[in-house]
């Protein structure tokens, strides 16, 4: 059931949402957009044309944090659009920085009207209504996960109908020593399995071809629910809705159980792609990160998954320069990356996040050493990915067409089951727009490091 508390009316008003960070934030933005549309507001093409500007923020990396403060600061003097019903632009900052900074964000950026937390999404329309009524009175509303309302029954404003994110948990219980997420997203809460199935079925009925199940750690789904339904049950149930492509993110290696691995062999529409963040190849660093697995255990999971599904593509996250990381620790990470042969690696330079355990660690690694390791790792990753992509030349892949390619508007772009980006030429007889949202076969004729090129067959 869709719900917007007390439904204020914003007829004639426009909104613009700027989103930073992870897929969960992007999904939150879809819910916020849906709530504002349900109140009569329409989406603006830019901040300049918006009466309500909403920032959905991320504080996982220092750079995202700095960018947000810079961007919010820069719109202070943006002229109000001429036909604004309010004669003023209202600015709201939500997401992880909103949750973390609360009132102090308003103190620092005094043109911000509203700060709301990660558990206050359903309140946004009321907060704007309140700000309008009281002439821009500034407010900070930040609830804990226990006090906040669930955002999952808010209306959705999806950018297109053919793919959908479907959150199954929110929050995280893991407290990896470098990570701020459990402090800003709260403890893990699982969504009832009936709600997940019902939303998945709605998507399928609307013509959605691909669903990605979302959670900070989807593998620990259900531990807080009566009867402890397991993540494998969710996979089975969503698969049974008839969805053509099913994906999930993110998995914690310590919780990736055999029953979930087995699904890669039994569920036909579960895509052969697994994002399994390793963070480091050194047991010593993994322990300092509070990750609860070893290099050997991680590699044995990889082997098991590969045995179950030989065509699977792995991707991962790696942090370079965690406090205390020696050259030998880094070498173990480097060797692991070489052994696994990832399709994609998201490499990050360690940045301390205030409030986390790792931020207290004193044995920091000098920046020039981190940079050197980072560059070596990126070079290895690029070589690996390039070689993997080249092995696809001459093969045919199915892609879900997302729209015209930015490289060449006469081509289309989509993703393969292994999650590779594929650009493809369209036959002269086909209309490019009619292919959007369709699953088509592409013969791969060339490969670059970050994408494949081919022709529709
Ligand atoms: S599993 Fe670790 S890295 Fe992932 S969100 Fe939870 S605490 Fe952060």
């Amino acid at each position: 059931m869709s719900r917007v508390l007390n439904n204020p009316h914003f007829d004639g008003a426009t909104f613009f949402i700027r989103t930073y960070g992870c897929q969960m934030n992007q999904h939150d933005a879809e819910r916020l957009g849906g709530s504002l549309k349900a109140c009569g507001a329409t989406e603006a093409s830019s901040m300049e044309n918006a009466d309500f500007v909403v920032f959905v923020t991320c504080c996982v990396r220092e750079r995202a944090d700095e960018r947000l403060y810079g961007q919010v600061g820069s719109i202070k003097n943006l002229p109000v659009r001429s036909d604004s019903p309010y004669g003023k632009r209202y600015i709201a900052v939500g997401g992880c920085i909103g949750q973390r900074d609360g009132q102090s964000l308003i103190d620092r950026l005094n043109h911000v009207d509203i700060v709301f937390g990660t558990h206050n999404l359903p309140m946004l329309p009321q907060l704007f209504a309140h700000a309008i009524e009281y002439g821009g009175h500034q407010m900070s509303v930040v609830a804990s996960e226990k006090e906040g309302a669930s955002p999952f029954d808010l209306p959705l404003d999806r950018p297109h109908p053919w793919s959908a994110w479907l959150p199954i948990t929110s929050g995280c219980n893991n407290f990896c020593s470098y990570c701020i997420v459990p402090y800003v997203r709260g403890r893990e809460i699982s969504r009832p399995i009936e709600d997940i199935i019902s939303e998945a079925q709605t998507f399928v009925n609307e013509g959605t071809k691909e669903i990605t199940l979302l959670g900070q750690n989807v593998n620990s789904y259900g531990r807080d629910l009566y009867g402890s339904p397991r993540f494998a049950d969710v996979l089975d149930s969503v698969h049974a809705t008839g969805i053509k492509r099913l994906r999930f993110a993110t998995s914690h290696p310590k919780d990736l159980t055999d029953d979930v691995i087995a699904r890669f062999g039994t569920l036909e529409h579960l895509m052969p792609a697994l994002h399994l963040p390793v963070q480091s190849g050194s047991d010593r660093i993994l322990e300092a990160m509070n990750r609860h697995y070893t290099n050997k255990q991680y590699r044995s999971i990889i082997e098991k998954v590969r045995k179950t599904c030989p065509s699977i593509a792995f991707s991962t996250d790696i942090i370079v320069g965690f406090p205390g990381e020696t050259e030998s620790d880094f070498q173990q990470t480097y060797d692991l990356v070489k052994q696994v042969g990832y399709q994609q690696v998201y490499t990050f330079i360690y940045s301390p996040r205030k409030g986390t355990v790792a931020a207290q660690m004193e044995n920091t690694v000098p920046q020039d050493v981190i940079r050197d390791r980072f560059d070596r790792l990126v070079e290895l990753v690029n070589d690996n990915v390039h070689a993997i992509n080249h092995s696809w030349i001459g093969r045919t892949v199915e892609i879900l067409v997302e729209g015209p390619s930015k490289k060449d508007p006469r081509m289309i772009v989509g993703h393969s089951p292994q999650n590779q980006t594929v650009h493809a030429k369209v036959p002269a007889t086909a209309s490019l727009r009619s292919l959007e949202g369709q699953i088509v076969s592409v013969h791969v004729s060339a490969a670059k490091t970050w994408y494949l090129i081919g022709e529709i067959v």
Side-chain angles (χ1 to χ4, degrees), residues 171-176 178-182 216-217 252 279 291:
C172 182
N173 292 345
N174 286 313
F175 291 93
C176 300
Y178 51 83
C179 183
I180 194 77
V181 168
Q216 307 297 346
N217 176 18
H252 194 307
Q279 309 297 3
R291 291 290 288 175

Side-chain angles (χ1 to χ4, degrees), residues 176-357:
C176 300
S177 64
Y178 51 83
C179 183
I180 194 77
V181 168
Y183 303 94
V184 289
R185 285 262 174 197
R187 295 303 91 77
E188 184 175 276
I189 297 173
S190 303
R191 198 174 172 190
I193 194 161
E194 305 76 37
D195 291 7
I196 296 169
I197 299 166
S198 155
E199 188 161 48
Q201 194 62 65
T202 304
F203 290 150
V204 171
N205 296 347
E206 288 171 356
T208 299
K209 305 272 177 26
E210 180 172 290
I211 290 175
T212 303
L213 305 174
L214 285 185
Q216 307 297 346
N217 176 18
V218 288
N219 305 110
S220 55
Y221 172 83
R223 290 178 189 169
D224 55 330
L225 293 179
Y226 178 74
S228 304
R230 298 169 67 87
F231 179 52
D233 302 330
V234 177
L235 287 175
D236 290 344
S237 305
V238 175
H239 193 266
T241 59
I243 190 71
K244 295 267 185 297
R245 290 177 152 209
L246 179 57
R247 301 183 187 274
F248 60 86
T250 293
S251 291
H252 194 307
K254 77 177 169 61
D255 295 317
L256 184 63
T257 46
D258 287 350
D259 55 357
V260 171
I261 294 174
R263 295 315 187 267
F264 280 108
T266 56
L267 299 181
E268 192 190 345
H269 301 298
L270 180 60
M271 293 292 100
L274 178 61
H275 186 66
L276 197 60
V278 65
Q279 309 297 3
S280 170
S282 155
D283 291 349
R284 217 175 56 80
I285 297 297
L286 286 171
E287 196 180 343
M289 287 176 164
N290 197 30
R291 291 290 288 175
H292 298 281
Y293 54 84
T294 62
N295 177 312
K296 192 170 168 201
Q297 286 164 338
Y298 182 89
R299 280 186 291 117
S300 103
I301 297 168
I302 293 279
E303 273 167 36
K304 234 188 252 179
V305 179
R306 208 165 248 154
K307 212 166 156 195
T308 309
C309 178
S311 64
I312 199 145
F314 293 103
S315 57
T316 199
D317 298 336
I318 288 178
I319 296 172
V320 180
F322 187 80
E325 183 191 75
T326 62
E327 180 57 27
S328 151
D329 294 319
F330 172 72
Q331 197 56 50
Q332 291 167 59
T333 304
Y334 189 93
D335 292 344
L336 179 92
V337 170
K338 217 170 180 174
Q339 282 164 20
V340 174
Y342 293 103
Q343 172 72 54
Q344 174 73 284
V345 180
Y346 300 92
T347 43
F348 301 100
I349 286 179
Y350 171 73
S351 72
R353 303 283 62 208
K354 206 169 149 215
T356 62
V357 171

Side-chain angles (χ1 to χ4, degrees), residues 17-21 25-26 28-29 32 54-58 94-95 116:
I17 302 179
R18 168 64 45 89
T19 309
Y20 299 87
N25 271 12
Q26 313 230 5
D28 284 352
L32 293 171
V54 185
F55 290 91
V56 181
T57 64
C58 167
F116 64 106

Side-chain angles (χ1 to χ4, degrees), residues 368-417:
D368 57 333
V369 174
I370 296 181
R371 194 74 238 178
D372 173 64
R373 289 177 191 163
F374 183 81
D375 290 347
R376 279 188 278 154
L377 187 63
V378 168
E379 199 181 324
L380 171 69
V381 169
N382 290 354
D383 289 350
N384 275 350
V385 176
H386 194 258
I388 292 172
N389 278 353
H390 260 255
S391 72
W392 283 83
I393 294 176
R395 294 159 75 177
T396 298
V397 292
E398 284 199 330
I399 68 165
L400 174 59
V401 180
E402 290 151 23
S405 159
K406 285 200 180 115
K407 299 200 168 299
D408 180 343
R410 288 160 304 167
M411 296 174 89
I412 42 127
V413 67
H415 282 83
S416 71

